Amino acid sequence: MKIKKQLLCIISILFFSNHFFAQYAINKKILWTTDWNHDGKLLAVGGNLDTLKIYSKSNLKLHKSFPIKSTITRVKWHPSKNSIAVATQLSKNKSCIINLDTNEKIELNEISPDGARGIDWNYTGEYLAVGDNDGQILIYDMKGNLIKNFKNENNKGITAINWHPKKNILVTVSDKIRLFDIDGNLLKSIKHRTEEVMLLSTAWHKSGNFFVTGDYGDKHDKSLLQYWSEQGELLQSIDISKGEYRNLTWKRKGDRLATASDALRIWDIKGKLISEGKSTDYLWGISWNKQGNKIVTSSLEQNIIVWNNKAKKIATIE
């Protein structure tokens, strides 16, 4: 794991050449992302296996699949409708919105040719935000019409984007944490540590009072999970993980945070570690179900695992 971490650290340094990182991601078959839908009946999994797969909760069997060439970097279900937003990278298939009821696919225009890694619906489901690999933030309506686009302050590629749960405010992460309003005004820019370390993930708490970020880790294998106030003030840093925080997500109730890194870890709202589930490889995608009693993860070695809310493995999806 140490050698693998060192290799991935080199890739992290070279990330800001998006072509290099994307080419690596194509060569390595990884399940980047997973998400449970709003009613907990379907879950989506994607990566660079040229297919978006939708599984049924009832039997964990394949329900539908959609061919999407190259890398699916992130999927995000609409908060109330049977539609899913899909971000792609170095793909002939653009990032898109797919309606599962009709199988209609709406392509999202004006995104960087290098693709995107950040995608998220706002709290009403009225707007979809995409953060692309040129540092551009694009906002679409539900029909895929572009209504606003703007760039971060130095054009660095965006690795994750997340809407405030009650306001039309966005947090983005890349080389820094940046907060924007829906009109593109930069509200706050934060250098999260003294070293040059890429951030990979972020999620607002459902209260909107704070958000959490996870980074890639430095040369000493120290990856930080950090809690920030709504105004961007650091509340605490946690450095127990030896793996990068690829993704993190709050339980709908808001009392637990689940993180994907070298293990599945479950935290309370104050950053206290509650449970830990060991993994044989690095976890990349993660999502809670509606009820908050199950978590699904996807991984570097293409494993899809369902866990209970105590971080115990209960099923594997083939």
Side-chain angles (χ1 to χ4, degrees):
M1 292 294 283
K2 181 75 174 179
I3 295 173
K4 184 181 290 185
K5 177 66 179 180
Q6 289 172 343
L7 174 61
L8 291 174
C9 188
I10 293 170
I11 294 167
S12 173
I13 293 169
L14 291 170
F15 165 80
F16 295 110
S17 170
N18 288 318
H19 293 285
F20 178 92
F21 186 86
Q23 188 60 50
Y24 168 82
I26 287 173
N27 294 335
K28 177 70 177 177
K29 299 301 183 183
I30 303 167
L31 290 178
W32 283 61
T33 180
T34 185
D35 196 33
W36 235 303
N37 77 335
H38 67 280
D39 61 11
K41 294 181 180 180
L42 298 172
L43 63 92
V45 179
N48 45 15
L49 303 181
D50 294 339
T51 307
L52 170 66
K53 294 185 177 182
I54 311 293
Y55 294 90
S56 171
K57 169 204 169 185
S58 59
N59 57 14
L60 298 181
K61 299 296 184 182
L62 188 64
H63 172 68
K64 283 187 178 183
S65 63
F66 298 89
I68 297 180
K69 293 295 183 182
S70 196
T71 303
I72 298 171
T73 54
R74 189 158 314 228
V75 293
K76 191 71 175 181
W77 288 96
H78 189 276
S80 61
K81 299 185 181 299
N82 201 22
S83 294
I84 188 167
V86 182
T88 63
Q89 178 171 270
L90 280 191
S91 173
K92 293 180 180 178
N93 299 112
K94 295 181 180 179
S95 298
C96 61
I97 301 169
I98 299 175
N99 184 318
L100 270 289
D101 294 327
T102 64
N103 294 332
E104 178 189 15
K105 184 169 73 171
I106 302 171
E107 291 188 340
L108 302 175
N109 295 316
E110 307 301 327
I111 295 172
S112 164
D114 289 338
R117 295 181 65 183
I119 199 163
D120 192 34
W121 296 97
N122 78 327
Y123 65 103
T124 64
E126 181 181 4
Y127 301 120
L128 176 69
V130 176
D132 75 14
N133 287 339
D134 285 341
Q136 187 176 208
I137 296 122
L138 307 102
I139 299 175
Y140 301 86
D141 64 17
M142 291 174 56
K143 296 181 179 180
N145 298 310
L146 181 65
I147 58 176
K148 180 77 67 174
N149 67 314
F150 48 92
K151 281 200 171 187
N152 67 27
E153 58 190 336
N154 62 0
N155 300 334
K156 294 294 187 183
I158 295 168
T159 51
I161 192 167
N162 193 240
W163 288 94
H164 189 285
K166 299 178 180 180
K167 304 174 184 177
N168 282 323
I169 292 174
L170 290 156
V171 59
T172 69
V173 295
S174 56
D175 60 324
K176 292 182 180 180
I177 302 164
R178 296 177 178 88
L179 296 168
F180 295 92
D181 66 19
I182 195 171
D183 293 319
N185 297 307
L186 180 63
L187 306 177
K188 189 86 172 182
S189 178
I190 306 164
K191 185 173 174 59
H192 76 296
R193 54 196 293 180
T194 56
E195 306 95 332
E196 294 296 328
V197 177
M198 180 175 68
L199 293 126
L200 291 176
S201 53
T202 185
W204 285 95
H205 184 257
K206 65 172 293 184
S207 67
N209 294 332
F210 65 97
F211 61 92
V212 182
T213 60
D215 74 21
Y216 199 97
D218 59 18
K219 62 184 179 180
H220 303 295
D221 288 349
K222 181 186 289 185
S223 300
L224 293 184
L225 185 71
Q226 295 179 301
Y227 284 57
W228 304 86
S229 74
E230 184 178 9
Q231 293 72 36
E233 299 168 344
L234 181 61
L235 302 175
Q236 68 169 315
S237 292
I238 305 165
D239 66 356
I240 68 171
S241 176
K242 297 297 184 184
E244 67 273 11
Y245 288 98
R246 285 284 168 181
N247 280 288
L248 44 90
T249 182
W250 286 98
K251 185 178 171 182
R252 292 194 184 193
K253 187 178 177 181
D255 60 332
R256 294 290 183 266
L257 175 74
T259 60
S261 58
D262 59 327
L264 167 63
R265 294 186 176 91
I266 301 174
W267 316 77
D268 69 11
I269 61 173
K270 296 183 178 179
K272 178 183 177 182
L273 182 62
I274 303 299
S275 304
E276 182 176 277
K278 297 191 180 301
S279 175
T280 57
D281 65 330
Y282 282 0
L283 302 177
W284 279 48
I286 191 165
S287 181
W288 288 92
N289 69 345
K290 176 185 177 182
Q291 297 78 12
N293 60 357
K294 293 179 183 177
I295 299 166
V296 62
T297 60
S298 59
S299 79
L300 181 72
E301 301 295 340
Q302 305 172 40
N303 295 309
I304 309 170
I305 297 172
V306 179
W307 315 67
N308 67 14
N309 58 7
K310 304 297 182 183
K312 301 296 183 184
K313 297 179 184 179
I314 57 177
T316 300
I317 300 176
E318 299 298 332

